[in-house]
Amino acid sequence: LGSSSGLRLRDEVMAIGNAGGTGEPTAVAGRISDLDSTILALNSADLSRKALTGMVEISAAVSSGQSGGALADHAGAVVG
C-alpha cells in the first residue's frame, strides 16, 4: 500500500477495476489531472446527493466499474 500524499499533477497511474461487472479485471493507464477534487455523488436508490472531497482525478478512458477500484502509482503501490 502507498499513500496519495506524494501524488503530483501529471504523475502516471493505473486504474484497476471490474468494468461492467463482468468478473474480468481491467486496467487503464492515465495521468493525475487534479488533486483534492470535490465531486457531487448521486445515490440512485433515494436520489440523495453527497459531496465527496479529497478525490484524485485522472485523465484516462476509465469505464464504469473502474472508478471504484484501486488506483496504483508507477511502482504498483495502491494510492487511491
Side-chain angles (χ1 to χ4, degrees):
L1 292 177
S3 171
S4 62
S5 65
L7 293 176
R8 301 291 177 252
L9 291 177
R10 295 180 294 284
D11 280 356
E12 291 186 37
V13 291
M14 183 166 293
I16 304 165
N18 179 17
T22 63
E24 295 292 324
T26 58
V28 177
R31 293 189 179 269
I32 302 290
S33 56
D34 195 11
L35 296 166
D36 199 24
S37 182
T38 298
I39 64 169
L40 188 61
L42 174 66
N43 181 334
S44 60
D46 65 7
L47 300 179
S48 63
R49 296 173 190 268
K50 180 178 181 178
L52 303 176
T53 60
M55 307 298 287
V56 175
E57 183 178 308
I58 66 170
S59 178
V62 175
S63 300
S64 177
Q66 289 168 318
S67 60
L71 185 67
D73 66 9
H74 68 282
V78 176
V79 294

